[in-house]
Amino acid sequence: MKKRLTFGFGVLVLAAALAGCGGSPGTTATSAPPPATTSPAAPSSAAPTSSAPAASTAAGAEMKVSASSAGQIVVDRKGMSLYFFTKDVKDSGTSACTAACLDAWPIFTTTSDTPAVEGVTGTVGTIASPDGKKHVTLNGMPLYYYAKDKAPGDVTGQGVGGVWYLVSPTGEMIKGAAGSGY
């Protein structure tokens, strides 16, 4: 019995140590949540807000996974859907959505270099926004809100203009799912 506990504890310690390894030089990325001591960030002031409580999750997670009519998607801590813009270039460090585009598609920001996540398996990072904020990325692609999404679970931005798509937990665009944003 004692050997099993010692072995199990050793495996747990090894797994925790390996989880701390990752990322690539010169990037600000994480695939595992940091300790809950980081301060949570609120979405940009133009982002939709809601007084409804988020689905049960760790209070420190800034990004998590939620079920929607489009399947499992990435949402912020309040349950607001996050989107990719097909005109963004992966790993470019910039956003193709500027000026008036940002009124309809506010950026998802953080104050942390390593945003806390729950259930998101893609590589999370940040890039500098034009106003100096930390724009959150997933697999090198910037993340956005849709201003017309008013409540947690809304996915009205899905497919808008054939260039805005929900995000899967692995960091892929969800293009085949039906939404009301067509």
Side-chain angles (χ1 to χ4, degrees), residues 63-68 70-75 81-84 117-124 137-143 155 158 164-177:
M63 219 168 36
K64 60 185 179 174
V65 176
S66 181
S68 77
Q72 294 290 310
I73 62 169
V74 176
V75 298
S81 301
L82 296 170
Y83 297 88
F84 280 144
V117 300
E118 182 178 295
V120 177
T121 59
T123 303
V124 179
T137 63
L138 188 56
N139 290 352
M141 293 286 287
L143 294 168
V155 292
Q158 176 65 359
W164 292 97
Y165 295 98
L166 292 162
V167 182
S168 78
T170 60
E172 302 299 319
M173 286 185 198
I174 301 173
K175 289 189 174 182

Side-chain angles (χ1 to χ4, degrees), residues 5-124:
L5 288 176
T6 303
F7 178 74
F9 182 73
V11 170
L12 181 63
V13 170
L14 179 60
L18 290 175
C21 299
S24 58
T27 63
T28 306
T30 181
S31 56
T37 58
T38 59
S39 62
S44 67
S45 60
T49 58
S50 171
S51 59
S56 63
T57 180
E62 294 180 68
M63 219 168 36
K64 60 185 179 174
V65 176
S66 181
S68 77
S69 59
Q72 294 290 310
I73 62 169
V74 176
V75 298
D76 74 356
R77 73 177 41 178
K78 294 179 180 179
M80 298 304 293
S81 301
L82 296 170
Y83 297 88
F84 280 144
F85 184 34
T86 61
K87 294 184 180 185
D88 282 330
V89 177
K90 183 177 180 170
D91 296 321
S92 69
T94 61
S95 167
C97 182
T98 59
C101 174
L102 292 173
D103 291 337
W105 300 94
I107 64 174
F108 174 50
T109 62
T110 184
T111 58
S112 173
D113 287 334
T114 54
V117 300
E118 182 178 295
V120 177
T121 59
T123 303
V124 179

